[in-house]
Amino acid sequence: MGGAAAAGTWKLGDLEVNRIGYGAMRLTGNGMMGNSDGTPIDRDAAVGLLHSAFEQGVNHIDTAAFYFSPLRSANELINRALSSWTGEVVVATKVGPARDPAGEWLTTVRPDQLRGQVEENLRQLGRDHLDVVNLRCGGPRTASIGELFGALAELRQAGLIRHLGLSAVRPEHVAEALTIAPVVCVQNSYGLDWRRADESGLVDLCGERGIAFVPFFAVSGLRREAAAGQEHDERVRSVARAHHATPAQVRLAWTLHRGPHVLAIPGTTNPVHLAENIAAGGLRLTEEDLAVLNKPVSSAT
């Protein structure tokens, strides 16, 4: 078994997906900040890249209506790719604090505004319902997470959303949301260099409750939205050399080894990097590898 299926599968509610997916943030520059003034990605090239991901077994895409630059929208590119693809692909999007049409961040959101955000995603993606909607909880709020999640639960009951998830949360937020409606996934920043979700117990909580944990910035780590840079961590480089793998593949494999409920959504516009990211699902780290990677940086250099 190769391609994205090599890492196994997990269920988002009733939707079974391969654990290696694709994050669409970088399709428009990087979709959030910086790079947006560069040359926009060619639409045909973007559709070709997405089709290549699907051909290699990727059946889970992460996106958001606020992933856009002046001339490109990630959702629009995904819509184009899916309209000419016959296979099943699960699309997970996000609502909550977002960006206005000019790209400025709107840091607060009210429960009554979420329906408009859901409908915006429906229009852009060309769908009559959304597979998974994650409530993005970062930043200041004028309403509680319970109120916001409750509004999404009503839209789920109305048939606009199939499954609900959370993004940028703490364990208590997951517990609160679970009293309102089922949670199929939790997205948080997490990787070898940023393990707050381990310290808080969030990764383990998700595993205990059968919830997918979906790290973002698993490869870029503390660089976050910035373009990939040279790997400086000798722990990662030594394990990569031993497996004839790239450092990015080692970082992805490390997160996938964290538990069978952990997914990966690396993003790229480079076809070679796409293939490498997908191949990381087949990289099996040994206990010795994990011991090296889990050493404090100071004792590994």
Side-chain angles (χ1 to χ4, degrees), residues 195-246:
R195 306 190 203 178
R196 291 279 178 88
D198 278 335
E199 296 164 11
S200 69
L202 182 61
V203 181
D204 290 334
L205 170 66
C206 288
E208 292 161 6
R209 300 303 296 263
I211 298 170
F213 183 76
V214 189
F216 53 86
F217 302 141
V219 175
S220 61
L222 299 179
R223 295 191 305 272
R224 297 177 66 81
E225 290 93 352
Q230 184 178 353
E231 180 62 63
H232 296 293
D233 191 323
E234 181 53 33
R235 299 171 302 171
V236 177
R237 290 190 297 188
S238 66
V239 173
R241 286 193 298 269
H243 287 274
H244 305 289
T246 69

Side-chain angles (χ1 to χ4, degrees), residues 21-36 41 49-50 61-69 72-75 77-78 92-94 99 105 136 187 189 215-221 223-228 265-269:
Y22 177 81
M25 184 180 70
R26 298 187 188 278
L27 270 183
T28 65
N30 65 22
M32 299 280 278
M33 56 190 70
N35 275 352
S36 292
I41 188 170
L49 184 85
L50 289 167
I61 296 182
D62 173 75
T63 187
F66 53 81
Y67 289 171
F68 66 86
S69 57
R72 294 291 181 268
S73 152
N75 279 357
L77 295 170
I78 291 168
T93 189
K94 288 173 283 297
R99 297 161 75 202
W105 277 100
R136 183 172 175 268
Q187 285 190 349
S189 178
F216 53 86
F217 302 141
V219 175
S220 61
R223 295 191 305 272
R224 297 177 66 81
E225 290 93 352
I265 49 170
T268 182
T269 57

